Amino acid sequence: MKVRKRSSLLSVLLLLSACGGSSPDPSLTGWRKEVGQIRIGANIGEENPTALARMEAFRAYIATSTGLPVKLYQAADYNGVIQALASGQLEMAAMGPAAFANAHAQMGDKVAPMLATRSAEGLSGYYTTLTVRADSPYRTLDDLRGKSVGYVDFNSASGYVYPRWALKKQGRDPDRFFGKAAITGGHIQGVMALDHGQFDAIFLLANTGTPRTGFTNGSIYALAARGLVKAEDFRVIWSAGPIANSPYVMRTDRPQPLKDILRGALAAMPYDDPAIWADIGIGAGSDMRPMQTADYAEVMAIRDAEVKSRRAGGSAGN
């Protein structure tokens, strides 16, 4: 079974669009003169599709902390940020674990994670969930045999890479188990496609909770908070994880003072400026924890196995 990609040609061609910032300051000296400006990238919403539009205060906070002008860039898809980071167009990026695994496969030690969020409960991971409409007849994973399913993006941990690996571990080949599949182009697109009956089920992100306690945050809840859907209209019938939280990553070939200041500024943000912390959509009581490449070893291995399988013709293709 081939996984079809539903994203538009525009989203493939559009690489980055700038949000805010100013030109490099000619009066800069030392390492600041070498860097000139900080360019930060993020794709359209692993967790919150409107976050980047609300991040002007975040941009100003990083600019004040580093003494450098900061520009934010929004990519049309996951791969846009990966390619911009790999080509040196960005100093730093926020990306999902599988996207980091892809970036690391291309860049090696030239990219490394700095920090990731940790919830008020001390949780540093999130889950992939197979979600259906609450009014559907589907109650278990086996009920979806031969049915249609939507994936978020080939570079999404919760929306593609991790659930396919977890299903295979349970003895179910997703390419044979489901009747048809397609890439929706994002978590929000996936939720809306499911809500409109275009798929029987969607793989989505969920956090702030566990499979045992239930979840109170994630793709469904982000849209419900905006009044676009009702959380009670959906039901989780399968989940896997936890997956290490999405990291802020940095090109390691940038000056050490810049890396140190950025790491420190991010770690201090929930305490120094809780209003910004809340504005970018992070839960109350949460903070940042240091991350290392080794924290993403599982996702990196899963991603490598998926790519090998795809190249061998045993998995999804574009």
Side-chain angles (χ1 to χ4, degrees):
M1 177 183 65
K2 287 275 189 181
V3 176
R4 295 179 294 109
K5 191 165 185 177
R6 293 166 53 92
S7 57
S8 68
L9 180 61
L10 176 62
S11 70
V12 174
L13 296 178
L14 175 63
L15 179 59
L16 295 173
S17 57
C19 298
S22 58
S23 300
D25 185 348
S27 67
L28 295 172
T29 60
W31 67 266
R32 287 184 174 85
K33 181 177 181 180
E34 177 186 346
V35 175
Q37 62 181 337
I38 300 173
R39 299 160 297 178
I40 302 175
N43 64 273
I44 301 174
E46 172 79 358
E47 299 187 35
N48 187 343
T50 65
L52 199 59
R54 298 159 47 211
M55 284 177 66
E56 171 57 25
F58 172 80
R59 185 200 65 76
Y61 173 83
I62 297 298
T64 299
S65 300
T66 61
L68 285 169
V70 175
K71 288 186 177 180
L72 301 177
Y73 290 88
Q74 179 169 300
D77 58 20
Y78 289 65
N79 196 51
V81 171
I82 296 169
Q83 296 307 318
L85 191 68
S87 63
Q89 297 179 55
L90 300 173
E91 280 67 52
M92 173 179 142
M95 57 175 55
F100 167 67
N102 192 330
H104 189 271
Q106 297 184 41
M107 301 173 63
D109 292 339
K110 287 186 178 180
V111 64
M114 294 188 295
L115 303 116
T117 58
R118 175 172 51 194
S119 73
E121 297 78 20
L123 302 176
S124 298
Y126 63 102
Y127 290 80
T128 176
T129 65
L130 187 55
T131 303
V132 300
R133 285 185 55 91
D135 60 3
S136 76
Y138 312 121
R139 294 282 176 177
T140 69
L141 177 61
D142 284 334
D143 290 339
L144 288 171
R145 187 181 298 275
K147 305 302 180 181
S148 63
V149 67
Y151 295 107
V152 169
D153 188 288
F154 289 122
N155 287 302
S156 172
S158 61
Y160 185 81
V161 176
Y162 201 92
R164 290 175 60 81
W165 170 79
L167 287 170
K168 290 174 183 177
K169 280 191 67 176
Q170 295 179 4
R172 296 179 176 90
D173 181 348
D175 292 326
R176 293 178 174 84
F177 183 81
F178 299 110
K180 64 178 181 178
I183 297 293
T184 67
H187 285 264
I188 303 312
Q189 294 93 320
V191 174
M192 299 310 296
L194 178 62
D195 191 44
H196 294 154
Q198 297 176 32
F199 296 100
D200 295 309
I202 296 284
F203 288 105
L204 295 170
L205 174 151
N207 56 18
T208 314
T210 68
R212 182 178 60 83
T213 64
F215 303 103
T216 59
N217 197 14
S219 307
I220 296 289
Y221 296 94
L223 276 187
R226 297 165 58 195
L228 298 178
V229 298
K230 295 180 179 179
E232 59 268 25
D233 288 345
F234 303 91
R235 178 172 61 243
V236 173
I237 63 171
W238 177 88
S239 63
I243 310 164
N245 272 346
S246 301
Y248 285 91
V249 306
M250 180 79 179
R251 282 193 62 106
T252 59
D253 56 3
R254 296 316 192 239
Q256 191 62 43
L258 174 63
K259 294 185 286 186
D260 293 341
I261 291 173
L262 278 175
R263 184 186 296 271
L266 288 171
M269 192 192 311
Y271 311 102
D272 287 352
D273 204 324
I276 295 177
W277 190 246
D279 190 53
I280 62 175
I282 310 298
S286 58
D287 62 4
M288 290 274 196
R289 61 160 290 195
M291 302 298 285
Q292 306 294 328
T293 299
D295 294 317
Y296 298 95
E298 180 183 53
V299 175
M300 291 165 70
I302 293 169
R303 178 261 175 201
D304 289 347
E306 177 68 31
V307 169
K308 289 178 181 177
S309 178
R310 200 187 308 171
R311 287 174 178 171
S315 183
N318 286 301

